[in-house]
Amino acid sequence: MNEMTKLTIKDFETDQEVRWCPGCGDYAVLKAVQRTLPELGTRPENIVFVSGIGCSSRFPYYVETYGFHTIHGRAPAVATGLKLANPELDVWIITGDGDALSIGGNHTMHLLRRNLDCQILLFNNEIYGLTKGQYSPTSRVGTRSPSTPFGSVDRPASPCGFALGSGARFVARGIDTHKKLPEVLKAAHAHRGSSFVEIYQNCIVYNDDVFSGFTDKANAAANQIWLVHGAPMLFDGGTKGMTLDHAALRLRVVDVADGDWAAAGVIVHDQTNKGLAQMLIELMPEEGFPVALGVIFDHPRPTFERAVVAQNAEASQGKLPDLQKLVSKGQTWQVDKEPHAL
């Protein structure tokens, strides 16, 4: 492909039949990614999608790039190997709430802690879809499933809270069918380091409408706050906003009259403030708050693979490669006699 050829969505669509349940939110995420990729300036041959196990992990088959469909929870380990072998690759990890936070929880944690330069898209449908609807680490208390017939008693994990606590330097949220999802994906790609994006994704078969309280059209404005760095935290058509209760050190909702958000005490979003990010992540509609969406935290630091490359370059400076010397190092011996004939 000519380097100057303008890419389109067609360049990232494969000839494979896309096979998810009819109505699955994965279709919308796939299209959002395919629409975003042509605008990132990276050629398909330099992009790799890595997935683990789960419904979302079919993703590499449907994007016309390189891809690895790996094993349960281990996509971060494979992605790390790829970036160390070739730091110039544009690596995307596709995972789910079960794949990333259960069997793969430790791998996800260490990837974020190390700050490998990649994009992690975690599809959160709060259920195990591929294995027929068991409850997952993000399932809500009371979730009835084949593995919790009387209702789950587990407190659910927060993917973004987990990421922030693991040292992630970029944390964001989106919704599978929302028009702003491509903007979140672009911001994640622009960040140098591990970019963690939780995507609320509807499982129409095993957990249908679990997010409807804030995703349905009738509920969206009052229950979603889309964050923009340096802009006031407004929602519900600008009639409400978020202020900081300094005494209680927590966010609270305030009414905004006549568009005067400053007079109402509405604060502006600072995506470099980790303390603010933690408070935003914990907002829940059940407690009268909107769900925080968009880029919640973005504060870059040097990446893992660049540090490894620089360290190796320094260690090898002034040295010539000598395979025979390497093989002969340590305890070695030589067999001089011919082997006995059988």
Side-chain angles (χ1 to χ4, degrees), residues 98-338:
D99 186 58
L101 300 179
S102 185
I103 191 170
N106 61 327
H107 292 278
T108 306
M109 176 185 72
H110 291 302
L111 181 89
L112 296 170
R113 175 182 64 82
R114 288 170 174 152
N115 198 35
L116 189 82
D117 186 18
C118 63
Q119 295 73 239
I120 306 115
L121 308 187
L122 187 150
F123 295 27
N124 183 14
N125 54 22
E126 297 188 1
I127 207 77
Y128 277 103
L130 185 67
T131 50
K132 306 299 183 284
Q134 300 90 338
Y135 84 121
S136 82
T138 58
S139 296
R140 303 175 191 193
V141 173
T143 298
R144 291 181 179 271
S145 76
S147 52
T148 53
F150 304 112
S152 170
V153 297
D154 283 2
R155 302 300 303 180
S158 164
C160 286
F162 172 87
L164 196 66
S166 298
R169 308 297 295 188
F170 181 101
V171 178
R173 279 201 191 116
I175 298 171
D176 51 11
T177 58
H178 202 283
K179 64 182 180 181
K180 289 187 178 181
L181 180 56
E183 294 179 20
V184 177
L185 298 176
K186 289 176 190 175
H189 186 266
H191 175 87
R192 296 278 70 84
S194 295
S195 300
F196 183 90
V197 182
E198 177 187 6
I199 302 173
Y200 291 118
Q201 178 259 323
N202 190 48
C203 176
I204 197 167
V205 175
Y206 297 111
N207 214 16
D208 194 21
D209 290 335
V210 70
F211 303 119
S212 61
F214 64 88
T215 58
D216 278 0
K217 195 171 183 179
N219 305 321
N223 293 291
Q224 296 178 16
I225 182 167
W226 283 89
L227 304 165
V228 177
H229 182 60
M233 293 186 188
L234 297 169
F235 65 103
D236 205 2
T239 63
K240 294 181 180 180
M242 304 301 303
T243 191
L244 180 62
D245 185 336
H246 292 277
L249 286 179
R250 61 178 296 179
L251 295 171
R252 61 183 178 87
V253 176
V254 292
D255 293 319
V256 178
D258 303 320
D260 192 350
W261 57 268
V266 174
I267 60 174
V268 299
H269 180 44
D270 178 5
Q271 66 188 22
T272 68
N273 187 323
K274 190 173 183 178
L276 178 60
Q278 185 65 59
M279 287 188 278
L280 288 166
I281 285 167
E282 294 176 354
L283 298 182
M284 295 187 294
E286 306 91 84
E287 298 178 359
F289 292 103
V291 173
L293 299 161
V295 179
I296 299 171
F297 183 63
D298 184 358
H299 196 188
R301 72 176 181 195
T303 64
F304 175 69
E305 73 283 355
R306 294 295 176 186
V308 171
V309 169
Q311 185 182 64
N312 289 343
E314 183 179 356
S316 61
Q317 190 172 9
K319 298 178 182 178
L320 295 175
D322 189 334
L323 181 59
Q324 184 58 49
K325 185 178 180 181
L326 177 65
V327 171
S328 303
K329 187 176 181 180
Q331 292 183 334
T332 61
W333 62 92
Q334 182 173 333
V335 179
D336 295 320
K337 294 183 178 181
E338 291 290 331

Side-chain angles (χ1 to χ4, degrees), residues 60-81:
Y61 296 102
Y62 307 143
V63 187
E64 190 60 40
T65 63
Y66 287 104
F68 289 88
H69 188 176
T70 69
I71 56 179
H72 210 182
R74 273 61 177 185
V78 174
T80 300

